[in-house]
Amino acid sequence: MNIGIDIDGVLTDIQGFNRRHAPRFFKRKFGRDVIDENPYDIRDIFQCPENEYMAYWKRYLFKYVITEPARKSAMSVIHKLRSDGHKVYIISKRVFTCQNNFMGKLMRFIVRIWLWRNGIRYNEIVFCDNDVPDSKRIACLEKNIDLMIDDEIVNIEAIMPIAKVICFDVSYNRKCEGKNIFRAYDWNEVYKLIFQINRVDLSQHII
């Protein structure tokens, strides 16, 4: 199978990172408390305006993209998937990566170095435009992706009509379900699901 893998929220625990850093930042700098822990976007979590949201990421973006480790077992599972004969495509909407300027080049470099440093090997990496809602669906079509692993609802709903999707469980996607959607709670479960899905697909092909 051609397997697509997201970075933020799937290879990394971006929600965990924000839970460690954002409450103290917004309380100290803007006097804001957490309104709702479950939304994907910090602007909804703190009901903060765009300028406060940008101030947070100006302070913490590089700390996150450089130092946040890969999720437990991600490296070993991806190694096993490639050893099993699957092709792995990193498909990410990481901020700035589609820009044709210094920041874009820097962020693409950081992503590749981060993947290498965390021992994550892949066949190809695809950077999608963060401002285009269905950019990941387009990437999945272009790369003939059979199965995508993602956490963000907008991406999952865009991809599920054209490919199977493993929804990597986080609080903000608990209500995401439907045909072609499977839920995994950790990377070892991702491997088990892919093994089962592939076995079913192969048996149907033989029949």
Side-chain angles (χ1 to χ4, degrees):
M1 286 197 297
N2 290 340
I3 299 171
I5 300 176
D6 177 44
I7 297 178
D8 301 312
V10 174
L11 287 178
T12 68
D13 181 8
I14 189 171
Q15 186 179 52
F17 177 90
N18 287 332
R19 282 176 171 170
R20 293 193 303 272
H21 299 287
R24 183 173 56 183
F25 175 86
F26 280 97
K27 183 68 175 179
R28 184 180 69 247
K29 193 168 181 66
F30 301 110
R32 292 189 180 276
D33 293 313
V34 172
I35 303 299
D36 186 347
E37 289 187 351
N38 293 323
Y40 175 78
D41 199 304
I42 284 179
R43 285 165 286 199
D44 298 322
I45 294 172
F46 294 93
Q47 291 187 359
C48 64
E50 186 73 14
N51 66 304
E52 294 179 13
Y53 169 82
M54 296 301 293
Y56 171 75
W57 280 117
K58 183 177 181 179
R59 169 68 178 81
Y60 285 105
L61 178 62
F62 284 102
K63 180 180 181 66
Y64 165 69
V65 300
I66 293 172
T67 68
E68 185 68 7
R71 287 185 185 270
K72 183 180 179 181
S73 301
M75 178 188 72
S76 59
V77 167
I78 292 172
H79 176 75
K80 285 194 289 186
L81 289 173
R82 297 188 74 210
S83 296
D84 290 345
H86 301 294
K87 290 186 177 180
V88 169
Y89 294 78
I90 304 299
I91 301 177
S92 174
K93 291 169 70 173
R94 169 69 63 82
V95 65
F96 299 128
T97 52
C98 281
Q99 294 186 7
N100 189 27
N101 53 23
F102 173 78
M103 184 59 76
K105 292 177 182 178
L106 176 62
M107 189 60 75
R108 291 191 292 273
F109 174 78
I110 289 172
V111 168
R112 290 187 170 96
I113 291 296
W114 183 91
L115 291 165
W116 177 82
R117 187 162 49 83
N118 282 272
I120 295 169
R121 306 296 180 255
Y122 53 91
N123 295 86
E124 189 176 340
I125 186 166
V126 182
F127 295 112
C128 302
D129 193 335
N130 193 45
D131 294 324
V132 178
D134 66 343
S135 59
K136 281 195 175 181
R137 181 187 66 83
I138 295 169
C140 287
L141 284 170
E142 291 177 347
K143 300 302 177 182
N144 295 313
I145 298 299
D146 300 296
L147 182 145
M148 180 71 195
I149 308 168
D150 212 303
D151 64 303
E152 193 175 353
I153 293 175
V154 65
N155 297 326
I156 295 169
E157 291 180 343
I159 295 167
M160 70 177 188
I162 62 167
K164 295 179 176 65
V165 183
I166 292 180
C167 175
F168 202 100
D169 183 79
V170 280
S171 65
Y172 49 78
N173 66 27
R174 296 272 160 79
K175 294 182 180 180
C176 184
E177 56 185 25
K179 184 180 179 181
N180 275 350
I181 299 177
F182 306 81
R183 184 170 294 272
Y185 295 87
D186 57 44
W187 269 95
N188 289 319
E189 194 165 7
V190 166
Y191 184 80
K192 293 176 184 177
L193 279 171
I194 292 175
F195 180 83
Q196 294 167 1
I197 292 167
N198 190 52
R199 185 170 59 181
V200 169
D201 288 349
L202 285 174
S203 65
Q204 290 176 345
H205 181 73
I206 292 170
I207 292 171

